[in-house]
Amino acid sequence: MIPAAFDYEVADSVEHALGLLAGDSDAKALAGGHSLVPALKLRIARPSKLVDIGRLSDLAYVRDAGTHVAIGALATHSAVHRDPLLQEHCPIVSTTAGQVGDPQVRHRGTIGGSLAHGDPASDLPAVMLALAAE
């Protein structure tokens, strides 16, 4: 199936992305696209605009944030799976990320997209809910 028409913008910073998204209540952020693109093709999602945030490397991190481990929205499933901090302090997240899709999906798909779309076929939203993640 062919997706409905939409505008496309590439964000060059987090602030730029937020501005593009704030200006349009029907806009959606796009990074890896593994959750959003199938929804677009089936016309389950019909955003007026896609804001490509895939190049914003400052959103791709796993780091110690003192009382918790912080994971950036653009951290790929593969990066989350391999991260030693998560393997030590929250192995259920690391292990689950390593089970998402196939290697191609794990290398491109992002944890933010997986959580934002809450696909019932995905284990990560259930894991994060069980952990009371924010």
Side-chain angles (χ1 to χ4, degrees):
M1 184 172 268
I2 299 170
F6 55 84
D7 292 331
Y8 175 81
E9 301 264 358
V10 177
D12 54 20
S13 69
V14 173
E15 294 75 24
H16 185 219
L18 291 173
L20 291 168
L21 291 166
D24 185 344
S25 63
D26 291 327
K28 293 257 187 208
L30 170 71
H34 285 84
S35 296
L36 183 56
V37 170
L40 290 170
K41 289 170 81 174
L42 294 172
R43 294 191 180 205
I44 294 168
R46 298 179 98 170
S48 55
K49 176 174 34 181
L50 290 181
V51 177
D52 189 338
I53 62 170
R55 295 168 182 89
L56 304 181
S57 60
D58 50 335
L59 295 179
Y61 59 83
V62 176
R63 62 179 170 231
D64 184 340
T67 61
H68 61 280
V69 175
I71 305 171
L74 295 186
T76 64
H77 302 300
S78 180
V80 168
H81 173 63
R82 291 186 329 266
D83 189 85
L85 186 65
L86 282 170
Q87 289 172 355
E88 179 182 348
H89 295 289
C90 199
I92 190 169
V93 173
S94 173
T95 300
T96 303
Q99 300 299 311
V100 172
D102 56 29
Q104 293 89 340
V105 169
R106 288 191 293 275
H107 286 287
R108 286 282 303 151
T110 63
I111 194 164
S114 181
L115 297 177
H117 289 279
D119 187 337
S122 175
D123 294 329
L124 278 169
V127 166
M128 295 303 185
L129 183 62
L131 292 172
E134 296 180 9

